[in-house]
Amino acid sequence: MKPGDIARYLFLAIVWGLSFLVVVKIVEAFGWVGAVTFRALIAAGSLYLLARLFRRKLDFSAGWRPFAIVGATTVAGQLIGLSYAAPRIGTAMAAIFVAAIPLFSMIISQLWGLERTTRQGFAGLVLGISGIVLLVGFPAVPVTFEFALGCVASILAALCAAFGSNYASRHLRDSGNWETTIGAFLFGGLMTFPLIFAVPLERTPVAMDYLYLIIAAVLMSVCTYIAYFRLVASIGPTRAISVEFLVTVIAVFIGATVLGEKLSAMQFIGGITIMVGCALVLNLVPAWMRPRPSVPEIP
């Protein structure tokens, strides 16, 4: 990778890894619905104003429907799931579930006929599912109803992210990155807004809460999306999405050192199993570790 690509890769890993800590902070103040709604609307508005400031021409000719579907999945579904789950299962576990997104993406792309599964990909899928079972089945904390709901929310969030990614690559291929980001965050925020009346704010936010919200919206949503799409264009989507592995490592480290979270030995093994499975699915395993195809003997 070029120096600029390495810088973007590390930027995404660090910022997205720290984002789980910020999510916990804004959920404490705005609730798990308000945290997503305000973050999404601020992200869409700030990126739109930035485009106007730089006189960037925006093209939304794809129509509102594909932007709405991507917003409902990659923004509303994914962020609602993570915001609900993180305080209940911990940032470390939530981050490990995020690392499993490529597994679900492979299943969806296979069902839609976008990709063909290889033996290596199938092996990775089996490993990933096994890792999720270890992660959920052997927690370091008592298994409560809230914990179980948090795990379900994390899995649904990963499914939403995988669905939205495949849908965008299929239906928004001709739309620009800025348009996709603005449209997704706008519709995602509008869709979750009515839920605020059912899930009101936890308490009256203070100045620091608003600062965390702005950081989550501008730095951890807008800036990261722009950097990520540039990285995809430069090194390809497979290598770019591998940043989720480093994100998980950073998030687990932050959860253990800053928040005092704990993972059981079996959960730790499960997390590693998920990441190995994703590496197989994404074809990121070094060439010397891949099985060599058998060569038929010449009679």
Side-chain angles (χ1 to χ4, degrees), residues 35-126:
V36 175
T37 301
F38 300 137
R39 174 183 178 179
L41 294 178
I42 293 174
S46 60
L47 186 56
Y48 178 78
L49 292 177
L50 191 63
R52 294 296 298 271
L53 179 64
F54 288 101
R55 298 181 179 179
R56 183 185 182 92
K57 186 178 179 180
L58 298 175
D59 181 12
F60 296 99
S61 58
W64 65 270
R65 189 182 301 274
F67 293 110
I69 293 176
V70 174
T73 52
T74 59
V75 176
Q78 181 186 11
L79 295 185
I80 281 286
L82 291 177
S83 297
Y84 181 85
R88 290 166 174 80
I89 66 175
T91 59
M93 276 193 65
I96 295 174
F97 276 115
V98 167
I101 290 174
L103 299 176
F104 298 112
S105 180
M106 188 195 77
I107 296 174
I108 294 173
S109 63
Q110 176 70 19
L111 293 175
W112 287 2
L114 300 178
E115 294 179 351
R116 295 181 61 184
T117 303
T118 62
R119 291 183 179 180
Q120 176 178 306
F122 182 77
L125 179 62
V126 173

Side-chain angles (χ1 to χ4, degrees), residues 214-275:
I214 293 174
I215 291 174
V218 178
L219 177 63
M220 297 178 171
S221 296
V222 172
C223 295
T224 54
Y225 266 63
I226 293 175
Y228 177 73
F229 285 130
R230 287 185 179 178
L231 192 65
V232 169
S234 180
I235 69 175
T238 298
R239 296 176 67 189
I241 203 173
S242 68
V243 73
E244 294 290 0
F245 302 150
L246 190 54
V247 169
T248 300
V249 173
I250 294 175
V252 170
F253 177 79
I254 293 296
T257 57
V258 178
L259 301 177
E261 298 175 353
K262 295 181 180 180
L263 290 176
S264 67
M266 294 301 292
Q267 284 182 304
F268 184 75
I269 295 174
I272 295 177
T273 303
I274 290 173
M275 287 188 279

Side-chain angles (χ1 to χ4, degrees), residues 126-167:
V126 173
L127 279 176
I129 294 175
S130 301
I132 292 175
V133 172
L134 292 174
L135 187 66
V136 177
F138 300 91
V141 297
V143 178
T144 62
F145 183 68
E146 288 290 311
F147 177 86
L149 286 179
C151 291
V152 172
S154 294
I155 294 175
L156 291 177
L159 280 170
C160 284
F163 180 92
S165 177
N166 280 277
Y167 184 90

